[in-house]
Amino acid sequence: MALLEVQDLKKYFKVPAGINHAVDGVSFAIEKGETLGVVGESGCGKSTLGRTIIRLQEATEGTIRLDGEDITHVSGKKLRDVREKMQIVFQDPYSSLNPRLRIESTIMEPLKNSGRFKGKGELQDEANRLMELVGIDERLRQAYPHELDGGRRQRVGIARALALNPKFIVCDEPVSALDVSIQAQVLNLLMDLQEKTDIAYMFVTHDLSVVRHISNHICVMYLGQMVEKAPTEELFERTMHPYTRALLSAIPSTDIDRPMERVQLKGEITSPINPAPGCRFAARCPYATQACREPQQLREVTSGHFVSCCRAQELG
């Protein structure tokens, strides 16, 4: 049984122009100790998907199961218990921290609220353990967020997310605002923590080179829908969806003997508000036919490789 199972999850927002289909029928599973990478352009619904799964937003339809238990609509104490098992690391480490709290106090806050620790001594010991775990120097523990650089602030965010020993963490573009050298440090930290604790991640990003480094499986999203899902190496070796091919072609190459062949997408992006049936990528796809105007189904083309494209096998 998978640690997390998401089935036909939908999240719609009412806007003046109609209904925004931010997440529209997404399904996947994540095993304990594994990382699922979720990639796509800005506005494709990646972050909304993560926030809906951990119940920061209510799902419109669909089912979320954690350890086999349906948590889609739990509330009250049950929701509080569920949230201790699922956490999030936000994209901007500065805006997600309270500027008036010192680093030590920020990490101790969830420990206090949990009621698991008796006395200040236990709280202090656990906070020290967490700060040591993520590599926060002792000299910085009484500092305020504005006194730290982006990498150290993100370490604080990771420590806070780990405070209650969760089973699953949504990493919402946790390295996109950091320098390249700091990105590598934070990614290695996340992978080391996973090895030590067997935690599962959903790693949201638009950087395919990063997601290849950290993920066991990758889901590609486009305008709220999942268009391709496969094990990481399978996706890179046998890309089937035209949109995924375009994303991969944008990765910089260091091979000077083989010039980069970029796939340039043309045409207008389909609106996610009251979208018409059919492939939402069709307006920009160079291979689109009349059949693409019909509803597309995510189907297993090869073992473990799912594609939502009626021409996937033909183009592959």
Side-chain angles (χ1 to χ4, degrees):
M1 181 178 66
L3 172 69
L4 179 76
E5 294 177 275
V6 175
Q7 187 64 40
D8 198 27
L9 189 65
K10 299 179 182 179
K11 177 58 182 176
Y12 298 164
F13 296 96
K14 289 184 179 180
V15 296
I19 304 295
N20 185 342
H21 293 223
V23 176
D24 205 357
V26 172
S27 301
F28 61 80
I30 305 177
E31 301 290 340
K32 186 177 181 181
E34 289 195 346
T35 300
L36 175 74
V38 180
V39 300
E41 294 172 298
S42 296
C44 72
K46 307 184 299 295
S47 296
T48 302
L49 174 63
R51 290 165 185 258
T52 303
I53 288 172
I54 66 170
R55 297 295 311 279
L56 288 181
Q57 295 173 329
E58 289 294 323
T60 303
E61 289 183 28
T63 305
I64 307 165
R65 294 184 181 277
L66 184 68
D67 276 338
E69 181 182 1
D70 187 346
I71 62 167
T72 316
H73 300 294
V74 295
S75 58
K77 185 180 182 302
K78 189 66 180 174
L79 178 58
R80 180 189 172 105
D81 294 340
V82 164
R83 282 179 169 160
E84 290 188 2
K85 299 176 183 178
M86 302 193 298
Q87 291 293 319
I88 185 169
V89 177
F90 293 98
Q91 177 178 358
D92 185 351
Y94 186 68
S95 64
S96 65
L97 301 177
N98 188 335
R100 297 187 177 186
L101 286 184
R102 298 179 189 271
I103 300 310
E104 186 178 72
S105 299
T106 295
I107 294 172
M108 289 179 69
E109 193 172 30
L111 302 175
K112 289 178 183 176
N113 293 337
S114 71
R116 296 182 186 181
F117 302 92
K118 298 177 181 177
K120 192 173 181 179
E122 283 190 16
L123 281 170
Q124 187 70 60
D125 290 344
E126 182 62 14
N128 289 339
R129 184 189 73 82
L130 287 166
M131 288 185 281
E132 196 171 310
L133 185 65
V134 300
I136 299 173
D137 294 338
E138 190 169 350
R139 64 185 176 85
L140 299 173
R141 296 178 184 180
Q142 294 303 315
Y144 289 96
H146 72 270
E147 298 178 276
L148 306 184
D149 61 29
R152 289 189 176 96
R153 284 198 289 259
Q154 196 60 286
R155 288 175 187 268
V156 176
I158 293 170
R160 185 177 57 181
L162 290 169
L164 301 179
N165 299 316
K167 297 182 177 182
F168 170 69
I169 294 180
V170 173
C171 300
D172 186 7
E173 302 203 39
V175 298
S176 65
L178 307 179
D179 293 337
V180 174
S181 60
I182 306 300
Q183 284 185 14
Q185 293 175 20
V186 173
L187 287 173
N188 290 333
L189 171 63
L190 289 169
M191 294 173 73
D192 289 344
L193 292 172
Q194 187 176 54
E195 192 173 328
K196 291 176 183 176
T197 63
D198 218 19
I199 200 167
Y201 296 135
M202 178 179 137
F203 197 92
V204 174
T205 183
H206 58 266
D207 190 333
L208 278 159
S209 58
V210 167
V211 85
R212 184 175 192 175
H213 178 66
I214 197 172
S215 301
N216 302 99
H217 296 80
I218 295 176
C219 295
V220 181
M221 288 187 67
Y222 186 79
L223 289 181
Q225 295 183 325
M226 189 180 295
V227 296
E228 189 162 5
K229 177 175 69 172
T232 301
E233 290 309 314
E234 164 74 10
L235 186 83
F236 278 83
E237 290 173 8
R238 192 183 179 195
T239 310
M240 293 188 177
H241 198 282
Y243 176 62
T244 310
R245 290 182 180 180
L247 290 180
L248 291 180
S249 76
I251 300 176
S253 173
T254 57
D255 189 348
I256 60 175
D257 297 321
R258 299 177 63 183
M260 298 168 63
E261 297 180 7
R262 294 203 182 276
V263 177
Q264 294 187 353
L265 300 178
K266 300 178 181 179
E268 291 293 326
I269 298 176
T270 303
S271 173
I273 300 173
N274 301 332
C279 177
R280 294 178 188 176
F281 183 62
R284 303 171 73 194
C285 180
Y287 309 106
T289 64
Q290 188 58 38
C292 300
R293 307 297 175 183
E294 301 297 323
Q296 305 292 305
Q297 299 295 326
L298 192 70
R299 53 197 178 90
E300 191 171 18
V301 178
T302 60
S303 180
H305 196 147
F306 296 81
V307 187
S308 177
C309 177
C310 60
R311 301 195 64 191
Q313 288 176 297
E314 177 187 346
L315 298 174

